[in-house]
Amino acid sequence: MKIYKATRLSLSEAEILDSNERQIARIFWPKVGVWKTKNAPLSEAMGDRWQSHPMIEIGDKKFMAYRKLLTDNFLVNEFEIALGDNTEQMKIVADLKGSKRKIIIRYEDGEYQLLSESFFRFHFKLFKGETQICQMKDETPFFTFSSRREFVVTSDKGLDPILLSFSFFLAHNSFF
């Protein structure tokens, strides 16, 4: 069994470490601001500052997260979130449906489902088909008065760093 440790260091930065405490990925916002959404009303008026897009850094590679509105409902909308490199070549794409309890991720070798197991606590499972490939849990004590949070990600086998960091990014942002 492979165990990863994810830590939200602040409201705008997180990191994922392997069992040997080596950094696998860093998730951060270069500058806090409005994350522009393609196809959203008034999105052009807000301007597009690349510094407001979330970034995922894996080794020496940086990927930027892009968000696109698929529906234009009043309360519940559907989004597509993609991770791309400098050329905006999309590496991995996710569809967030209205409930946010089930996120479909499309990656190079197939389709994955990220499912929320609870409304009240951070507990997600990642499936490929019917097979569970990892689970993510919040290990932070309940009465903690800090933005820092500790998470544990367990997997039977090692996970691809892009799939691991993107699924954690989606789980974290859909829950908090």
Side-chain angles (χ1 to χ4, degrees), residues 68-86:
K68 180 179 175 183
L69 183 66
L70 299 176
T71 59
D72 191 9
N73 299 325
F74 181 64
L75 293 175
V76 179
N77 282 300
E78 296 179 6
F79 292 92
E80 177 183 271
I81 296 179
L83 202 61
D85 57 14
N86 297 358

Side-chain angles (χ1 to χ4, degrees), residues 2 46 49 65 121 126:
K2 193 90 167 153
M46 292 187 313
R49 296 186 335 189
R121 61 191 171 109
L126 183 65

Side-chain angles (χ1 to χ4, degrees), residues 42-157:
L42 301 174
S43 64
E44 295 304 317
M46 292 187 313
D48 187 13
R49 296 186 335 189
W50 67 268
Q51 298 98 333
S52 299
H53 287 259
M55 305 281 289
I56 297 178
E57 192 176 73
I58 300 170
D60 60 346
K61 296 179 183 173
K62 284 188 182 178
F63 301 96
M64 186 180 294
Y66 298 90
R67 183 169 57 177
K68 180 179 175 183
L69 183 66
L70 299 176
T71 59
D72 191 9
N73 299 325
F74 181 64
L75 293 175
V76 179
N77 282 300
E78 296 179 6
F79 292 92
E80 177 183 271
I81 296 179
L83 202 61
D85 57 14
N86 297 358
T87 62
E88 293 190 28
Q89 183 82 8
M90 299 306 144
K91 298 283 186 192
I92 186 168
V93 179
D95 292 324
L96 279 75
K97 303 299 180 190
S99 70
K100 291 187 178 179
R101 293 195 36 93
K102 180 179 178 182
I103 300 171
I104 305 297
I105 300 172
R106 293 183 308 278
Y107 190 46
E108 57 192 23
D109 63 342
E111 189 172 277
Y112 299 84
Q113 296 177 29
L114 183 63
L115 301 175
S116 173
E117 292 290 306
S118 173
F119 279 116
F120 304 109
R121 61 191 171 109
F122 183 92
H123 186 197
F124 286 83
K125 292 183 178 179
L126 183 65
F127 292 88
K128 183 174 183 182
E130 297 292 319
T131 307
Q132 178 183 326
I133 58 172
C134 89
Q135 74 174 6
M136 304 172 206
K137 287 185 176 183
D138 187 353
E139 296 288 320
T140 309
F142 183 70
F143 284 113
T144 302
F145 301 101
S146 168
S147 62
R148 185 181 181 93
R149 300 197 70 81
E150 302 288 335
F151 305 92
V152 172
V153 180
T154 56
S155 173
D156 289 338
K157 303 174 186 173

Side-chain angles (χ1 to χ4, degrees), residues 1-23:
M1 177 174 284
K2 193 90 167 153
I3 299 175
Y4 302 94
K5 178 182 170 188
T7 305
R8 182 175 75 184
L9 303 169
S10 69
L11 293 176
S12 61
E13 185 176 7
E15 69 179 358
I16 301 172
L17 307 172
D18 66 9
S19 56
N20 296 324
E21 299 287 321
R22 286 187 307 243
Q23 188 179 63

